Amino acid sequence: MAMSVSNPLVLGIESSCDETGVGIVRGTEMLVNAVASSMEEHVRFGGVIPEIASRAHLNEFVPTLESALSEAGVTLDEIDAIAVTSGPGLSGALMVGVAAAKALALASGKPLYAINHLVAHVGVGVLDGGKLPENLGALLVSGGHTEILQVNSLSDDVRLLGATIDDAAGEAYDKVARLLGLGYPGGPAIDKLAKSGDPKAIRFPRGLTLPKFVGTVEEPGKHRHDFSFSGLKTAVARCVEQYQKRGEEVPVADIAASFQEAVVDVITSKAVRACQEHGITNLLLGGGVAANSRLRELLAARCASAGITLRVPPISLCTDNGAMVAALGSQLVSAGVQPTGLKFSTDSGQPVNLISLVA
Ligand code: KG4
Ligand code: ZN
């Protein structure tokens, strides 16, 4: 049964990676955003270990739910709908949130929406002021994903313009930080160290940026708006090896700054070009790498010169969380979208055009 409530009270559940998130939203107002992260448990491995993340979700889900409900001062009974991330993400991790959401929906008789994690990142946009701007795009940059989206309608028309064909940007930061002996998570460490290095010291490759020609005419090419960071990671590894072979000290700060410049240069130039070529005039930034100081600086500058209005939500709403899932759920309820029901599975590769799964 589809319902169209104007200010629905929605519980959102997120467990696609290493954050167990439970958020509650009424209409476009965020009541609570409770998050438990298992990041510390992954430190010694230098990256998220799916099995450990799943186990942490199992341990953290009930306490996170209880604290969210009590902080918001609402009971499960009062909730109008439940929304849960069904994908994309780590299968085992997604399963914990989905199983919990199904159990809650079954026990309470509330409608359940199985929603898209990437589109939920964009859902955050409604939490400050209610309405999303026209001609909207989103740039999502995290440890698990790197995408450019065109958002014609949050409830029924989201398109993927570009994505990484190998590593995610945050993953590249984490791997390079490991090479440089900087620990995990690598993003904040490289961001900090880069401030004392020279971003022009080493010219690292910018993946998928060479123009494609047919004869003498430049053609858009298949991967025009896509990203690739694995070649960059290998280039950093080779560079470090060269210094070590020569018995020279590795200029860690210069490598960090030059690596960061390569990542940020590609992300910002590709995002702005995708916007220009698709009539996007408002861009929303999301994902954990949104915390990066150089990304914020260069993206703001390049958007400004291209006449694109950039919105960067508070970082607690950029990283994975339950409020973004609840915010998108609330938009779906208000738009009268049919709930998914209980008969669905996680979809670790859920495409962005599947904003919510159809039963
Ligand atoms: O969104 P998030 O918390 O989790 C997912 O990956 O989904 O993002 C975490 C990622 C990690 O790869 C981390 O290294 C990166 O975001 N990160 C940063 C910064 N802070 C976090 N990358 C670059 N600069 C930062 N300041
Ligand atoms: Zn995410």
Side-chain angles (χ1 to χ4, degrees), residues 19 142-144 170 173-174 185-188 191 287-289 291-292 319-320:
E19 271 89 25
S142 80
Y173 266 92
D174 295 333
D191 195 0
V289 185
N292 186 268
T319 52
D320 293 346

Side-chain angles (χ1 to χ4, degrees), residues 16-41:
S16 68
C17 190
D18 58 339
E19 271 89 25
T20 311
V22 179
I24 301 173
V25 162
R26 190 191 304 277
T28 58
E29 185 201 349
M30 183 172 85
L31 304 187
V32 66
N33 187 22
V35 180
S37 173
S38 62
M39 195 182 61
E40 304 235 309
E41 295 177 56

Side-chain angles (χ1 to χ4, degrees), residues 232-355:
L232 171 60
K233 173 195 66 193
T234 307
V236 174
R238 294 293 158 270
C239 174
V240 170
E241 274 169 29
Q242 292 302 318
Y243 282 100
Q244 287 167 339
K245 254 191 214 153
R246 295 196 295 264
E248 292 172 21
E249 192 184 328
V250 180
V252 190
D254 283 349
I255 295 178
S258 301
F259 158 77
Q260 171 155 287
E261 200 58 23
V263 173
V264 170
D265 180 26
V266 174
I267 293 177
T268 54
S269 59
K270 287 207 170 218
V272 167
R273 185 166 67 180
C275 289
Q276 288 172 322
E277 292 180 5
H278 287 87
I280 292 168
T281 52
N282 288 284
L283 185 66
L284 184 99
L285 183 63
V289 185
N292 186 268
S293 60
R294 183 62 183 143
L295 178 63
R296 285 167 172 252
E297 180 184 56
L298 195 59
L299 189 60
R302 287 184 171 171
C303 281
S305 25
I308 299 162
T309 306
L310 176 67
R311 274 168 72 180
V312 185
I315 197 67
S316 59
L317 290 173
C318 285
T319 52
D320 293 346
N321 67 85
M324 70 186 198
V325 180
L328 176 57
S330 154
Q331 294 293 300
L332 299 182
V333 172
S334 300
V337 172
Q338 198 77 19
T340 309
L342 298 173
K343 289 190 187 133
F344 69 92
S345 306
T346 57
D347 181 355
S348 59
Q350 191 169 334
V352 291
N353 60 310
L354 281 182
I355 298 168

Side-chain angles (χ1 to χ4, degrees), residues 11-329:
L11 177 80
I13 297 169
E14 157 64 35
S15 73
S16 68
C17 190
D18 58 339
E19 271 89 25
T20 311
V22 179
I24 301 173
V25 162
R26 190 191 304 277
T28 58
E29 185 201 349
M30 183 172 85
L31 304 187
V32 66
N33 187 22
V35 180
S37 173
S38 62
M39 195 182 61
E40 304 235 309
E41 295 177 56
H42 308 286
V43 168
R44 68 192 174 103
F45 303 102
V48 176
I49 305 296
E51 280 303 319
I52 295 178
S54 308
R55 193 174 292 266
H57 288 309
L58 274 174
N59 291 335
E60 292 304 325
F61 181 74
V62 171
T64 311
L65 172 69
E66 282 172 348
S67 84
L69 289 169
S70 89
E71 200 183 320
V74 302
T75 62
L76 201 54
D77 234 24
E78 293 168 301
I79 300 278
D80 292 309
I82 300 171
V84 62
T85 300
S86 49
L90 305 170
S91 268
L94 288 166
M95 264 183 235
V96 179
V98 165
K102 285 183 181 178
L104 290 172
L106 184 66
S108 64
K110 307 293 179 184
L112 177 60
Y113 290 80
I115 68 164
N116 190 297
H117 177 84
L118 301 178
V119 183
H121 270 295
V122 189
V124 161
V126 303
L127 295 176
D128 77 340
K131 234 177 141 274
L132 287 176
E134 301 271 283
N135 307 322
L136 178 67
L139 172 62
L140 308 178
V141 203
S142 80
H145 41 84
T146 306
E147 292 90 12
I148 307 170
L149 311 184
Q150 177 158 32
V151 186
N152 295 329
S153 157
L154 201 53
S155 57
D156 66 12
D157 188 355
V158 181
R159 297 169 196 195
L160 183 70
L161 299 182
T164 180
I165 61 165
D166 41 55
D167 293 348
E171 192 179 358
Y173 266 92
D174 295 333
K175 288 178 176 172
V176 164
R178 203 171 172 185
L179 278 170
L180 299 178
L182 298 174
Y184 177 83
I190 291 183
D191 195 0
K192 193 163 163 235
L193 186 64
K195 292 193 197 321
S196 58
D198 175 6
K200 294 202 174 87
I202 302 147
R203 173 84 194 174
F204 284 125
R206 269 74 169 152
L208 302 179
T209 54
L210 288 179
K212 305 275 178 295
F213 287 96
V214 174
T216 53
V217 184
E218 191 186 337
E219 287 280 305
K222 193 169 152 223
H223 291 302
R224 188 169 182 78
H225 303 310
D226 290 334
F227 305 98
S228 166
F229 298 109
S230 76
L232 171 60
K233 173 195 66 193
T234 307
V236 174
R238 294 293 158 270
C239 174
V240 170
E241 274 169 29
Q242 292 302 318
Y243 282 100
Q244 287 167 339
K245 254 191 214 153
R246 295 196 295 264
E248 292 172 21
E249 192 184 328
V250 180
V252 190
D254 283 349
I255 295 178
S258 301
F259 158 77
Q260 171 155 287
E261 200 58 23
V263 173
V264 170
D265 180 26
V266 174
I267 293 177
T268 54
S269 59
K270 287 207 170 218
V272 167
R273 185 166 67 180
C275 289
Q276 288 172 322
E277 292 180 5
H278 287 87
I280 292 168
T281 52
N282 288 284
L283 185 66
L284 184 99
L285 183 63
V289 185
N292 186 268
S293 60
R294 183 62 183 143
L295 178 63
R296 285 167 172 252
E297 180 184 56
L298 195 59
L299 189 60
R302 287 184 171 171
C303 281
S305 25
I308 299 162
T309 306
L310 176 67
R311 274 168 72 180
V312 185
I315 197 67
S316 59
L317 290 173
C318 285
T319 52
D320 293 346
N321 67 85
M324 70 186 198
V325 180
L328 176 57

